[in-house]
Amino acid sequence: MTDATTPPGATAPDPDLLYSEDEDALRASVRALLADRSDPATVLAGLESQVAYDTGLWHSLATEIGTAGLLVPERLGGAGATAREAAVVLEELGRSVAPVPYLTSAVLAVTALLGCDHDRADAAAPLAALAEGRTVGVLAVPLTTAPGGPSGPASVRADAHGALTGRVTSVADAAAAGLLLVPAEGPDGPALYAVDAPAAGVRTDTVTPLDLTRPLGHLTFDGAHGRLLAVGDRARAAVDRALLTGAGLLASEQLGVAEWCLTETVRHTAERTQFGRPVGSFQALKHRMAALWLEVASARAAARNAADALATDSPDAPVAVAVAQAYCAPVAVHAAQECVQLHGGIGMTWEHPAHLFLKRAKSDELALGAPGRHRDALAGLVGIAAP
């Protein structure tokens, strides 16, 4: 597909799937921090303490390295980077299943705010706070919400004074939020409101999710005051762009999950011996791991293509995102399942981190649209009817 700047008869530039030197440097910084502060034992200890997220790790990641503001323009207090850099961060977070609200705050919430009139103080001030890591933002939609979904009435309604009433279930990182971005049905149609949390008229009920590293909560609004950020088509477009960006970059997190599972499985089978030989030398296991390597390599191409399309605002971005989610989600689940099985009995224990990656992979498979939902969307985008 060509865009408006492409001369007639020419094709659009090929996507750049390689990592730049700056992206490699960012990866090195994030990986070093996570290796020091988010090893499996630390993650498990945090889960058992039932904290909402690792606040110390989040401060270091968001503020000291500056990842929270990657998608925020420099004039608004951010780094002025692109989805490519955010994708690198999410790859590393996937490799460590770190319990931090990066996807929800630095991607979904930031992108939703950028879709509003961010020159207004109502949007500019929250963007600066998110970019500096001073607060955590959450887009108040169910974690399973897919981009481009039905545009029916929102589950939250707003009156003429901005009082919000309604309930939103299964919101990721709801308990960690200092700022809620709430899609609602207002007096003039669809609207997006900002609500400071905790606040009068807002109740958060925590639930026990499959993936304990990404907590869920039900939000109930009973007269909570919301500041209007956008209305009508602009509000709808802001939310949908946030969901599209989130789904596209979630593929990079899924890639990170799959990479860790493959690497750890290869390492274990090279060290584990049976009948006097490493079990990884048996042909049947070699074939399984080789097939998984091909899947992971293909997932990397799909995830990088989605990140590049989002970074360059390509007209093909919806197609790239649909392809990435339709492919990367099952690969992450398959890699995690193989990791558990090929570790034998120890893979089934709480002490071994394999279960953390299986739970994150299964949770991510449903997040921001299941693979089947993205396959249906892809069929419509490219004009091929689904069977």
Side-chain angles (χ1 to χ4, degrees), residues 97-120:
V97 288
V100 292
Y102 187 82
L103 178 69
T104 47
S105 184
V107 176
L108 290 170
V110 163
T111 308
L113 281 170
L114 289 173
C116 304
D117 184 1
H118 46 259
D119 288 325
R120 291 174 45 191

Side-chain angles (χ1 to χ4, degrees), residues 9-208:
T11 58
D14 291 333
D16 182 3
L17 306 186
L18 302 179
Y19 299 99
S20 68
E21 290 184 5
D22 289 342
E23 290 164 4
D24 285 336
L26 174 62
R27 179 192 305 282
S29 297
V30 174
R31 183 173 294 188
L33 172 66
L34 295 176
D36 182 54
R37 303 277 293 278
S38 189
D39 61 281
T42 302
V43 173
L44 285 170
L47 298 183
E48 292 171 339
S49 68
Q50 297 183 340
V51 295
Y53 66 103
D54 188 331
T55 53
L57 176 61
W58 173 243
H59 179 267
S60 298
L61 183 69
T63 305
E64 295 174 12
I65 296 182
T67 62
L70 285 177
L71 298 181
V72 179
E74 291 185 72
R75 64 185 181 84
L76 296 174
T82 70
R84 291 175 58 92
E85 289 78 13
V88 169
V89 176
L90 280 164
E91 282 183 38
E92 294 307 309
L93 293 177
R95 288 176 63 93
S96 67
V97 288
V100 292
Y102 187 82
L103 178 69
T104 47
S105 184
V107 176
L108 290 170
V110 163
T111 308
L113 281 170
L114 289 173
C116 304
D117 184 1
H118 46 259
D119 288 325
R120 291 174 45 191
D122 284 344
L127 270 173
L130 293 179
E132 295 168 7
R134 288 186 281 113
T135 190
V136 171
V138 167
L139 181 62
V141 298
L143 180 60
T144 56
T145 305
S151 56
S155 59
V156 177
R157 304 192 68 84
D159 64 17
H161 303 289
L164 305 178
T165 305
R167 191 166 187 260
V168 188
T169 60
S170 302
V171 179
D173 295 315
L179 174 70
L180 298 171
L181 302 179
V182 188
E185 190 70 20
D188 300 316
L192 184 63
Y193 291 85
V195 178
D196 294 323
V202 181
R203 188 178 80 244
T204 303
D205 300 312
T206 58
V207 296
T208 302

Side-chain angles (χ1 to χ4, degrees), residues 312-351:
T312 58
D313 201 21
S314 167
D316 284 336
V319 172
V321 170
V323 168
Q325 270 305 303
Y327 188 80
C328 293
V331 168
V333 172
H334 182 217
Q337 290 171 336
E338 290 285 77
C339 181
V340 170
Q341 186 176 42
L342 296 182
H343 272 75
I346 66 171
M348 300 298 294
T349 63
W350 174 266
E351 289 76 13

